[in-house]
Structure formats: structure tokens, C-alpha cells
Amino acid sequence: MLFRSVICRRGNTTDGYVVVQYQTYTGESLIRMKMSYTNTTGSSVTLKAYRGCDPDVGAIQYGAYNTHNYRGYGSVPATDIVVAEETNTNKPIALYAPGNGYTHNTSILSNWPSQAIDTMLSGITQGDGDNSMFIAWNFGTVSAGATVYVCCYYVLGTNIGSVVNTIT
């Protein structure tokens, strides 16, 4: 299976380094991400992180910014997936993250952009409309020299069920 990969690194020895690896495979309707943080500060740090977007799925085709938003899908719990469906076609975009053993949660917020990580971790759902969706992680205390990582996915397609079934 052919794939494309992009790796981005940000940071410095004073704050630590964040590395985000993006992968797409031919024929898949998702973007795979592996995100890591390496603590190069010389002391322990408390770390939380998030991914999010303003899922204006119908903006180009319909000039519509409202989406039907929900957390959880089938057997995938609300802590692991958040979905926005375009209201004319039900085409979805979702954020999926199995958590990789860390405290994590999804949220739907009425404001964009947001950096309210504790609100994201609370699992708040502010409903349908022109809202944003997030998934957040609490890594706790990361020791000096340690690296933590999580995997997550942007899920795209015409039917959320068929796409989710390929990754769960």
C-alpha cells in the first residue's frame, strides 16, 4: 500500500521537542497522526495537549457552516471520537483517538479557536451549529529525558461507519 508521510518538529532544549508525524495511505479516508513530546528541560513538566478543528464540511459546496455534532459512535466511546456531519449530505469529519493509556476526552465547543484544555478534557458538548471539535490528552507529569506519545486520526469520507470500521 502506497503512503505519504510528513514529519514536523518544533521546540528547543529549553522547552522540549514536539514531533508530529502525518501519514496517508492510498485508498484510506483518514489522516494518521503520531504526536510525541520529549522533555529536554532538565526537570519534570506537567503536560496536556489537544487537536481540534472548526469542521465547516459544507462551507465550499453549500456556503453552510452548521454541522450535526456528536461524541461517540457505535461501540467507540465518546472519550475516543467526536464527529461533525454536514447537514445537507451527512458527510462527516471526525477526530478519533484511542488514548494510548492516557486520560483523554473529546468535546464540542461553540468557540473557535480555543485553548481551554481542561474544558476539552471535561467532555463538554455544546451541540449542533457552527461549532468546533476537539480531542485532548492529559499526560500528567513527564520526567526529564522522557518521551510520551499518542496516536490519533482525522477521519473523512462519505459514511462515518465504514471509515470507523477500518480503524477500530
mmCIF file of all heavy atoms in Angstrom, residues 21-22 41 44 55 70-72 75 84 92-93 102 119 126 135 137 141 147 159:
data_model
loop_
_atom_site.group_PDB
_atom_site.id
_atom_site.type_symbol
_atom_site.label_atom_id
_atom_site.label_comp_id
_atom_site.label_asym_id
_atom_site.label_seq_id
_atom_site.Cartn_x
_atom_site.Cartn_y
_atom_site.Cartn_z
ATOM 1 N N GLN A 21 3.958 13.344 13.297
ATOM 2 C CA GLN A 21 4.114 12.573 12.065
ATOM 3 C C GLN A 21 2.733 12.388 11.448
ATOM 4 O O GLN A 21 1.825 11.888 12.105
ATOM 5 C CB GLN A 21 4.718 11.208 12.373
ATOM 6 C CG GLN A 21 6.071 11.291 13.042
ATOM 7 C CD GLN A 21 6.552 9.918 13.466
ATOM 8 O OE1 GLN A 21 6.506 8.968 12.703
ATOM 9 N NE2 GLN A 21 7.006 9.821 14.704
ATOM 10 N N TYR A 22 2.579 12.797 10.203
ATOM 11 C CA TYR A 22 1.323 12.639 9.467
ATOM 12 C C TYR A 22 1.527 11.573 8.399
ATOM 13 O O TYR A 22 2.539 11.596 7.697
ATOM 14 C CB TYR A 22 0.930 13.941 8.758
ATOM 15 C CG TYR A 22 0.697 15.112 9.675
ATOM 16 C CD1 TYR A 22 1.740 15.992 9.981
ATOM 17 C CD2 TYR A 22 -0.556 15.363 10.208
ATOM 18 C CE1 TYR A 22 1.528 17.082 10.803
ATOM 19 C CE2 TYR A 22 -0.773 16.454 11.024
ATOM 20 C CZ TYR A 22 0.269 17.311 11.328
ATOM 21 O OH TYR A 22 0.059 18.388 12.144
ATOM 22 N N THR A 41 13.960 19.571 29.294
ATOM 23 C CA THR A 41 14.080 20.742 30.171
ATOM 24 C C THR A 41 15.012 20.542 31.352
ATOM 25 O O THR A 41 15.428 21.501 31.968
ATOM 26 C CB THR A 41 12.703 21.141 30.731
ATOM 27 O OG1 THR A 41 12.230 20.116 31.614
ATOM 28 C CG2 THR A 41 11.706 21.386 29.618
ATOM 29 N N SER A 44 11.004 17.741 35.665
ATOM 30 C CA SER A 44 9.685 17.217 35.294
ATOM 31 C C SER A 44 8.762 18.350 34.873
ATOM 32 O O SER A 44 8.854 19.460 35.394
ATOM 33 C CB SER A 44 9.070 16.471 36.478
ATOM 34 O OG SER A 44 9.829 15.331 36.792
ATOM 35 N N PRO A 55 -15.054 22.298 11.920
ATOM 36 C CA PRO A 55 -15.393 21.383 10.822
ATOM 37 C C PRO A 55 -16.462 21.925 9.875
ATOM 38 O O PRO A 55 -17.582 21.426 9.830
ATOM 39 C CB PRO A 55 -15.906 20.150 11.564
ATOM 40 C CG PRO A 55 -16.560 20.738 12.771
ATOM 41 C CD PRO A 55 -15.704 21.904 13.158
ATOM 42 N N TYR A 70 -21.605 15.291 17.371
ATOM 43 C CA TYR A 70 -21.837 14.337 18.457
ATOM 44 C C TYR A 70 -20.539 13.640 18.824
ATOM 45 O O TYR A 70 -19.583 13.607 18.059
ATOM 46 C CB TYR A 70 -22.919 13.312 18.088
ATOM 47 C CG TYR A 70 -22.687 12.571 16.797
ATOM 48 C CD1 TYR A 70 -22.058 11.333 16.785
ATOM 49 C CD2 TYR A 70 -23.119 13.100 15.586
ATOM 50 C CE1 TYR A 70 -21.859 10.644 15.600
ATOM 51 C CE2 TYR A 70 -22.923 12.417 14.393
ATOM 52 C CZ TYR A 70 -22.298 11.188 14.400
ATOM 53 O OH TYR A 70 -22.091 10.508 13.226
ATOM 54 N N ARG A 71 -20.543 13.097 20.034
ATOM 55 C CA ARG A 71 -19.399 12.364 20.574
ATOM 56 C C ARG A 71 -19.772 10.895 20.671
ATOM 57 O O ARG A 71 -20.886 10.571 21.056
ATOM 58 C CB ARG A 71 -19.035 12.918 21.952
ATOM 59 C CG ARG A 71 -18.647 14.384 21.896
ATOM 60 C CD ARG A 71 -18.501 15.023 23.294
ATOM 61 N NE ARG A 71 -17.587 14.267 24.118
ATOM 62 C CZ ARG A 71 -17.928 13.707 25.275
ATOM 63 N NH1 ARG A 71 -19.154 13.829 25.748
ATOM 64 N NH2 ARG A 71 -17.039 13.030 25.968
ATOM 65 N N GLY A 72 -18.857 10.011 20.317
ATOM 66 C CA GLY A 72 -19.109 8.582 20.351
ATOM 67 C C GLY A 72 -19.744 8.118 19.060
ATOM 68 O O GLY A 72 -20.455 8.869 18.387
ATOM 69 N N SER A 75 -19.750 1.335 18.994
ATOM 70 C CA SER A 75 -19.015 0.829 20.154
ATOM 71 C C SER A 75 -17.821 1.711 20.538
ATOM 72 O O SER A 75 -17.151 1.449 21.530
ATOM 73 C CB SER A 75 -18.532 -0.598 19.880
ATOM 74 O OG SER A 75 -17.609 -0.596 18.801
ATOM 75 N N ALA A 84 -18.527 15.503 13.287
ATOM 76 C CA ALA A 84 -19.340 16.594 12.746
ATOM 77 C C ALA A 84 -19.800 16.153 11.362
ATOM 78 O O ALA A 84 -18.983 15.776 10.524
ATOM 79 C CB ALA A 84 -18.538 17.881 12.653
ATOM 80 N N PRO A 92 -19.185 13.269 6.890
ATOM 81 C CA PRO A 92 -18.574 13.513 8.193
ATOM 82 C C PRO A 92 -17.105 13.916 8.126
ATOM 83 O O PRO A 92 -16.400 13.654 7.157
ATOM 84 C CB PRO A 92 -18.681 12.153 8.856
ATOM 85 C CG PRO A 92 -18.458 11.206 7.711
ATOM 86 C CD PRO A 92 -19.127 11.866 6.513
ATOM 87 N N ILE A 93 -16.693 14.541 9.201
ATOM 88 C CA ILE A 93 -15.284 14.637 9.567
ATOM 89 C C ILE A 93 -15.255 14.302 11.049
ATOM 90 O O ILE A 93 -16.171 14.662 11.793
ATOM 91 C CB ILE A 93 -14.676 16.031 9.276
ATOM 92 C CG1 ILE A 93 -13.188 16.051 9.632
ATOM 93 C CG2 ILE A 93 -15.433 17.130 9.989
ATOM 94 C CD1 ILE A 93 -12.450 17.305 9.187
ATOM 95 N N TYR A 102 -3.482 7.215 28.194
ATOM 96 C CA TYR A 102 -3.521 8.489 28.902
ATOM 97 C C TYR A 102 -4.967 8.955 29.093
ATOM 98 O O TYR A 102 -5.852 8.613 28.302
ATOM 99 C CB TYR A 102 -2.748 9.567 28.125
ATOM 100 C CG TYR A 102 -1.289 9.250 28.010
ATOM 101 C CD1 TYR A 102 -0.770 8.751 26.821
ATOM 102 C CD2 TYR A 102 -0.434 9.428 29.087
ATOM 103 C CE1 TYR A 102 0.576 8.438 26.708
ATOM 104 C CE2 TYR A 102 0.909 9.118 28.983
ATOM 105 C CZ TYR A 102 1.413 8.628 27.794
ATOM 106 O OH TYR A 102 2.731 8.312 27.698
ATOM 107 N N THR A 119 -11.434 22.311 29.745
ATOM 108 C CA THR A 119 -12.807 22.227 29.250
ATOM 109 C C THR A 119 -12.923 21.083 28.250
ATOM 110 O O THR A 119 -13.889 20.314 28.274
ATOM 111 C CB THR A 119 -13.236 23.557 28.603
ATOM 112 O OG1 THR A 119 -13.138 24.591 29.589
ATOM 113 C CG2 THR A 119 -14.658 23.491 28.083
ATOM 114 N N GLN A 126 -21.492 21.191 23.322
ATOM 115 C CA GLN A 126 -22.278 22.408 23.150
ATOM 116 C C GLN A 126 -23.146 22.352 21.901
ATOM 117 O O GLN A 126 -23.562 23.387 21.401
ATOM 118 C CB GLN A 126 -21.369 23.643 23.197
ATOM 119 C CG GLN A 126 -20.729 23.801 24.570
ATOM 120 C CD GLN A 126 -19.844 25.012 24.705
ATOM 121 O OE1 GLN A 126 -19.266 25.509 23.750
ATOM 122 N NE2 GLN A 126 -19.707 25.486 25.927
ATOM 123 N N ILE A 135 -10.137 16.903 20.653
ATOM 124 C CA ILE A 135 -9.769 15.785 21.496
ATOM 125 C C ILE A 135 -8.548 16.239 22.273
ATOM 126 O O ILE A 135 -7.681 16.936 21.740
ATOM 127 C CB ILE A 135 -9.509 14.493 20.694
ATOM 128 C CG1 ILE A 135 -9.385 13.323 21.648
ATOM 129 C CG2 ILE A 135 -8.327 14.599 19.781
ATOM 130 C CD1 ILE A 135 -9.805 12.001 21.066
ATOM 131 N N TRP A 137 -5.634 15.380 25.665
ATOM 132 C CA TRP A 137 -4.966 14.383 26.492
ATOM 133 C C TRP A 137 -4.327 15.059 27.694
ATOM 134 O O TRP A 137 -3.837 16.176 27.603
ATOM 135 C CB TRP A 137 -3.832 13.696 25.731
ATOM 136 C CG TRP A 137 -4.251 12.942 24.527
ATOM 137 C CD1 TRP A 137 -4.534 11.611 24.450
ATOM 138 C CD2 TRP A 137 -4.402 13.459 23.203
ATOM 139 N NE1 TRP A 137 -4.864 11.274 23.169
ATOM 140 C CE2 TRP A 137 -4.797 12.391 22.383
ATOM 141 C CE3 TRP A 137 -4.271 14.728 22.630
ATOM 142 C CZ2 TRP A 137 -5.043 12.534 21.022
ATOM 143 C CZ3 TRP A 137 -4.523 14.877 21.285
ATOM 144 C CH2 TRP A 137 -4.904 13.798 20.495
ATOM 145 N N THR A 141 2.611 14.090 34.684
ATOM 146 C CA THR A 141 3.990 14.552 34.853
ATOM 147 C C THR A 141 4.916 13.754 33.943
ATOM 148 O O THR A 141 4.919 12.522 33.969
ATOM 149 C CB THR A 141 4.431 14.385 36.318
ATOM 150 O OG1 THR A 141 3.538 15.133 37.140
ATOM 151 C CG2 THR A 141 5.858 14.887 36.520
ATOM 152 N N THR A 147 9.965 10.609 26.934
ATOM 153 C CA THR A 147 9.161 10.914 25.757
ATOM 154 C C THR A 147 7.798 10.256 25.929
ATOM 155 O O THR A 147 7.720 9.090 26.332
ATOM 156 C CB THR A 147 9.823 10.390 24.473
ATOM 157 O OG1 THR A 147 11.093 11.031 24.312
ATOM 158 C CG2 THR A 147 8.962 10.659 23.248
ATOM 159 N N ASN A 159 -19.297 8.178 4.677
ATOM 160 C CA ASN A 159 -20.064 7.444 5.662
ATOM 161 C C ASN A 159 -19.166 7.173 6.857
ATOM 162 O O ASN A 159 -18.173 6.450 6.726
ATOM 163 C CB ASN A 159 -20.579 6.142 5.050
ATOM 164 C CG ASN A 159 -21.330 5.300 6.036
ATOM 165 O OD1 ASN A 159 -20.775 4.853 7.034
ATOM 166 N ND2 ASN A 159 -22.595 5.056 5.748
#
